Amino acid sequence: MCSSDLDSTDAETARVLGQLSVRMNRPQQALAFFQRALDTRPLHVETHYNMATALAQFGRRQEAQIYMQRFEELAQRSAEIAQLRRSLDEAPDDVSLHLALAHHYAALEQPHRARDHYRAVLLVDSLHVEALVRLSSLLLRQGELNESLALCQRGIVAHESDPRTSALHVTAGYIHYVEKRYGKAESAFSRSLALDPQQAQAWNNLGNLQQQRGDLTAAQRSFVRAIAADSLLVDAHFNLAIIHQRQAAWPLAYRFFRSALEIDPQYAQAHYGLATVYEAMDSTAAALRSYRTFIDGPEGDPSWRRRAQQRLTQLESQL
């Protein structure tokens, strides 16, 4: 039995135990079991329904509504997948069906299934731009850098002037950046922006490259352009905050750390950055809150967590 099978078994056991706890009127135990099941399988349809009905039964109706809405979204997506799979049985080489299924599986955080369908598209049409863009990005996230770069290069050569390949240049540039081929990375980001000046990720990545080599003025311009192209690109807000932090422009650093957290309240490093800004502005109580939020948040870089704990201890000792 593979590890994913074990995860599924554990999740189903927790879900069943949650149902039993509901019948025994043990609310905390029931919700804990359902949460354990969702921690293992966060997109499992039935568990969202179980959690919603349990929360409603125990009087927590606002939270129940959130889980019920998520259940309805997941159930609808599952029904659409079932319909697409039936259609695919009748037309196994239909590119549009494979693409639709791949998008659904990617949204459900099932990258291996998504990857299989993108590859099926490329078996029919090896130069299909959207499949090349999506699959190269997915492979990058999975750490398959060589295959991802090969797909980018295939699409770039075949569709040299097609604006849709702007995303392929971004992915290729990021791989060059990770592997410290900085000249090639900058060329890729610049080519991406030549094809599509509104490619926000290219502006953001270019800004990271400029910041690394110490050109903060150019980096700041790039991050501003990234936000102008996509105001919800959270990394650009965070990176712009870092620039202002390095320049001791505390009100501006505060503004962009806050805007990053408005987009993504779970962006842990923004909580850390905000804490340092509060310290610089002599807002000790606010700094303590932000450090605690960072420490209590999702697991991240252990060195950041150690630094936050040290600063928290030092500030508490000064009270």
Side-chain angles (χ1 to χ4, degrees):
M1 183 179 288
C2 67
S3 60
S4 60
D5 293 330
L6 290 173
D7 290 344
S8 298
T9 301
D10 291 344
E12 184 60 19
T13 299
R15 190 180 75 84
V16 171
L17 288 171
Q19 291 176 305
L20 290 172
S21 299
V22 169
R23 294 186 190 125
M24 297 170 69
N25 197 29
R26 296 178 179 175
Q28 295 305 317
Q29 183 174 293
L31 297 177
F33 277 127
F34 289 141
Q35 187 58 57
R36 185 187 304 175
L38 287 173
D39 288 343
T40 304
R41 300 175 68 190
L43 298 173
H44 190 254
V45 178
E46 292 181 22
T47 311
H48 280 83
Y49 178 80
N50 295 145
M51 180 71 96
T53 55
L55 286 165
Q57 182 175 327
F58 298 137
R60 294 164 60 173
R61 299 193 178 280
Q62 188 170 0
E63 293 172 82
Q65 187 174 358
I66 294 171
Y67 279 95
M68 184 58 74
Q69 182 177 350
R70 186 61 173 145
F71 159 73
E72 291 170 353
E73 292 170 355
L74 291 171
Q76 180 179 351
R77 192 178 289 278
S78 295
E80 290 171 0
I81 287 175
Q83 179 58 52
L84 287 167
R85 289 182 67 87
R86 286 193 292 271
S87 299
L88 193 62
D89 288 340
E90 299 175 2
D93 291 332
D94 190 312
V95 165
S96 64
L97 294 175
H98 281 293
L99 282 175
L101 280 165
H103 297 342
H104 278 303
Y105 285 130
L108 289 172
E109 299 177 17
Q110 298 180 27
H112 294 291
R113 289 185 175 181
R115 185 179 63 188
D116 289 345
H117 285 285
Y118 288 133
R119 283 181 170 153
V121 172
L122 294 176
L123 286 175
V124 177
D125 177 0
S126 64
L127 299 178
H128 193 283
V129 176
E130 184 178 356
L132 289 169
V133 168
R134 301 277 187 165
L135 182 55
S136 62
S137 177
L138 187 153
L139 290 168
L140 171 62
R141 294 193 298 274
Q142 292 186 309
E144 301 289 342
L145 302 189
N146 290 337
E147 186 179 356
S148 176
L149 183 58
L151 291 174
C152 291
Q153 291 169 338
R154 184 198 301 180
I156 289 167
V157 169
H159 306 283
E160 183 177 359
S161 60
D162 190 328
R164 293 176 298 171
T165 64
S166 173
L168 294 175
H169 286 283
V170 172
T171 298
Y174 184 80
I175 293 169
H176 290 312
Y177 179 83
V178 167
E179 298 190 339
K180 299 183 180 180
R181 297 187 292 266
Y182 299 126
K184 288 186 175 182
E186 184 168 12
S187 295
F189 298 143
S190 297
R191 180 58 181 158
S192 171
L193 293 167
L195 288 166
D196 179 7
Q198 297 303 305
Q199 177 59 260
Q201 195 62 60
W203 283 116
N204 183 68
N205 292 355
L206 182 61
N208 283 328
L209 192 60
Q210 293 162 334
Q211 181 176 207
Q212 183 189 58
R213 69 182 181 218
D215 192 347
L216 299 189
T217 300
Q220 182 174 332
R221 285 198 299 267
S222 293
F223 294 139
V224 168
R225 290 292 300 269
I227 292 170
D230 181 358
S231 62
L232 297 180
L233 184 59
V234 65
D235 287 344
H237 288 261
F238 176 80
N239 291 332
L240 189 53
I242 293 294
I243 293 287
H244 291 307
Q245 183 187 48
R246 292 178 64 177
Q247 297 169 333
W250 304 117
L252 286 171
Y254 170 83
R255 172 187 168 188
F256 286 101
F257 281 133
R258 287 297 311 166
S259 62
L261 289 170
E262 287 169 8
I263 297 167
D264 181 4
Q266 302 302 313
Y267 200 112
Q269 289 178 322
H271 285 291
Y272 184 96
L274 195 58
T276 65
V277 171
Y278 283 134
E279 275 200 79
M281 298 172 72
D282 295 322
S283 298
T284 302
L288 287 169
R289 285 196 301 272
S290 290
Y291 278 129
R292 290 187 186 114
T293 300
F294 173 78
I295 292 167
D296 294 338
E299 290 289 334
D301 187 333
S303 63
W304 283 64
R305 192 172 294 273
R306 283 194 299 272
R307 288 198 295 270
Q309 187 61 62
Q310 289 170 356
R311 290 304 304 148
L312 182 64
T313 301
Q314 290 168 0
L315 288 175
E316 288 175 334
S317 69
Q318 295 169 12
L319 294 178

